[in-house]
Amino acid sequence: MGPDTFADARSSTGDGSPLRVERLDDRVVATLDRPERRNAIDQATVDALHALCAELEAEPRILILTGAGGVFASGADIAELRDRRADDARRGINANAFIRVAELPMPVIAALDGYALGGGAELAYAADIRIATPALKIGNPETGLGIIAAAGASWRLKEIVGDARAAELLLTGRTVEADEALAIGLVSSLHAESELLAAAHAVADRIARNDRAATMATKRVMRLPRAAHPDADLAEQAELFESPEKMRRMTEFLERRRT
């Protein structure tokens, strides 16, 4: 089900929310939409992400995250961030929202264009798959603002690009452009701006063709620490081995081979 099905989607009502949501049968497209602030992530955005996560926890679907106006997210809202104090930091306002995004039952695809900085980069890191345009500029300049990247970059980025590369990026705070992001595995593919959303839907289509239960099981085991393996994998596999869908799919595969 690709982007040409948008006409049939159920959409949010355009009430000024910073997160514009389009709902399809097997996926949701959520667009960060604060053009006057380059989609900076403020408290209202965090609240909208929590509401969307509650919906997708109750009714699991693939999530495509993107940004309006040629920008993914220029960072956290600095005006809000400047006024936050120690108790706010301990509450993990952005961190907990991004953890919830990362832990959604079905895969999350981030389609990145333009700036994905600070909290915007950390939201992108929470996705399972990231694709981008050649205009991408992604990074974590937090130390230059007197803080750390505390909404996931300190642990997620090294899982994506490795310890040494993550250390260099976080300690220097430099911005990575699209070609380097592709080379170091921070994004998996580059697409023209006009083709970005279609490319995200193509990834979602490929995921949607697979068995839903197996997809969710794969995501669950991938998120576990090393010490949980292989026991967790075997427990998930045991359950899938008893599923009618596994029998149906394998039978179809064998029958195709015979023809």
Side-chain angles (χ1 to χ4, degrees):
M1 184 180 296
D4 58 338
T5 60
F6 272 12
D8 299 323
R10 292 171 289 130
S11 300
S12 58
T13 57
D15 58 359
S17 169
L19 194 67
R20 183 159 34 90
V21 180
E22 298 178 272
R23 297 169 176 86
L24 298 146
D25 289 341
D26 61 358
R27 73 199 62 172
V28 166
V29 182
T31 304
L32 298 165
D33 193 12
R34 296 185 72 211
E36 74 286 357
R37 291 289 184 270
R38 291 187 177 181
N39 303 335
I41 298 169
D42 64 349
Q43 183 64 57
T45 306
V46 168
D47 293 343
L49 284 170
H50 277 298
L52 178 60
C53 286
E55 177 183 332
L56 294 178
E57 289 158 358
E59 185 183 347
R61 281 168 285 174
I62 299 163
L63 172 61
I64 297 173
L65 278 172
T66 192
V71 176
F72 181 66
S74 60
D77 191 303
I78 301 300
E80 284 190 0
L81 201 57
R82 183 183 59 182
D83 293 335
R84 289 179 182 171
R85 294 296 183 263
D87 286 346
D88 297 310
R90 294 186 185 98
R91 285 168 56 208
I93 295 169
N94 287 9
N96 287 324
F98 299 168
I99 287 169
R100 201 168 178 186
V101 169
E103 293 181 350
L104 286 171
M106 288 290 283
V108 178
I109 303 162
L112 310 174
D113 187 21
Y115 290 109
L117 299 174
E122 292 181 293
L123 177 56
Y125 303 156
D128 300 290
I129 298 167
R130 285 162 298 281
I131 64 174
T133 73
L136 176 67
K137 297 180 186 299
I138 186 167
N140 293 94
E142 281 88 345
T143 53
L145 295 170
I147 60 174
I148 68 169
S154 65
W155 75 90
R156 286 200 186 98
L157 187 56
K158 63 185 181 181
E159 293 173 353
I160 298 167
V161 301
D163 287 7
R165 181 73 69 179
E168 184 258 322
L169 294 176
L170 292 175
L171 295 173
T172 64
R174 73 178 178 88
T175 299
V176 174
E177 297 195 1
D179 287 342
E180 182 181 1
L182 180 62
I184 66 177
L186 191 49
V187 300
S188 57
S189 58
L190 298 178
H191 307 272
E193 179 184 356
S194 61
E195 299 170 2
L196 179 64
L197 196 55
H201 277 287
V203 175
D205 289 341
R206 185 66 185 85
I207 292 169
R209 287 198 293 271
N210 296 331
D211 176 42
R212 178 183 175 85
T215 296
M216 290 192 289
T218 298
K219 179 163 178 175
R220 282 194 297 271
V221 296
M222 286 179 64
R223 294 284 171 182
L224 293 173
R226 176 64 182 85
H229 302 283
D231 291 349
D233 304 68
L234 301 181
E236 293 281 5
Q237 190 77 302
E239 187 168 340
L240 291 168
F241 270 18
E242 298 295 328
S243 75
E245 183 65 7
K246 170 250 190 181
M247 184 64 68
R248 184 189 71 78
R249 285 172 174 265
M250 290 193 175
T251 300
E252 284 186 357
F253 175 82
L254 292 170
E255 288 174 350
R256 285 197 302 271
R257 286 187 62 185
R258 293 191 190 105
T259 61

